């Protein structure tokens, strides 16, 4: 009879510990910590642009911000480097670069972006105003 009484008291204590305010608070705080860690990891992955490493068949060579939600990018696909425009709603093929840009080395992104910007301005000036391109060749 005594063992049955002890097991009944033990089960009663476990049910009372769940309704104990400190236990509920502890469970709630643990849940908040887990959710906070998930959101922190998601923020870090988004901030540092951590993406799944896929195949090496396609990579971004250079990009430039053209507006609040618009970018101009050069991507490497095989041996070709198309110039594309990226917005929040679509991706448009702008042109194919005749001369390929150098693929950036990690750690030198700032100078490569400036070089891309200058080459893009020169290419656009030549396409929009061919006389500019012939004047530069004459000089």
């Amino acid at each position: 009879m005594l063992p049955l009484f002890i097991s009944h008291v033990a089960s009663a204590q476990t049910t009372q510990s769940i309704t104990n305010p400190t236990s509920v608070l502890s469970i709630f705080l643990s849940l908040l910590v887990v959710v906070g860690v998930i959101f922190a990891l998601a923020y870090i992955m988004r901030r540092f642009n951590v993406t799944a490493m896929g195949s090496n068949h396609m990579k971004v060579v250079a990009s430039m911000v053209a507006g609040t939600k618009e970018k101009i990018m050069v991507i490497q696909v095989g041996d070709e480097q198309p110039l594309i425009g990226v917005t929040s709603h679509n991706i448009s093929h702008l042109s194919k670069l005749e001369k390929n840009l150098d693929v950036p080395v990690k750690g030198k992104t700032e100078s490569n972006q400036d070089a891309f910007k200058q080459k893009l301005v020169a290419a656009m000036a030549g396409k929009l105003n061919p006389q500019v391109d012939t004047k530069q060749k004459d000089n």
Side-chain angles (χ1 to χ4, degrees):
M1 185 75 152
L2 186 61
L4 290 175
F5 179 71
I6 293 173
S7 66
H8 180 65
V9 171
S11 67
Q13 286 178 350
T14 55
T15 57
Q16 287 178 355
S17 67
I18 291 175
T19 59
N20 188 0
T22 57
S23 293
V24 172
L25 183 64
S26 172
I27 292 170
F28 182 71
L29 289 177
S30 299
L31 180 64
L32 282 179
V33 168
V34 169
V35 170
V37 167
I38 290 171
F39 277 110
L41 288 175
Y43 173 76
I44 289 170
M45 289 181 69
R46 187 172 182 173
R47 176 77 174 112
F48 294 111
N49 199 13
V50 176
T51 58
M53 295 297 167
S55 62
N56 291 330
H57 299 292
M58 187 169 57
K59 58 181 118 175
V60 176
V61 175
S63 68
M64 183 177 80
V65 176
T68 56
K69 294 184 179 180
E70 297 87 17
K71 285 185 181 181
I72 299 173
M73 302 174 81
V74 175
I75 58 172
Q76 177 85 31
V77 181
D79 293 332
E80 295 182 356
Q81 288 186 344
L83 179 68
I84 60 173
V86 180
T87 67
S88 60
H89 298 290
N90 65 2
I91 299 172
S92 303
H93 180 268
L94 301 176
S95 72
K96 179 183 172 279
L97 297 181
E98 295 172 6
K99 184 179 176 185
N100 287 350
L101 298 176
D102 296 329
V103 178
V105 179
K106 288 184 179 178
K108 294 187 177 182
T109 56
E110 202 61 40
S111 62
N112 285 336
Q113 287 178 353
D114 292 337
F116 168 68
K117 191 175 189 179
Q118 291 171 355
K119 288 181 183 180
L120 179 64
V121 168
M124 296 299 284
K127 284 197 180 267
L128 296 175
N129 191 0
Q131 296 170 350
V132 172
D133 202 24
T134 57
K135 286 180 184 177
Q136 288 178 353
K137 288 180 183 177
D138 292 338
N139 291 336

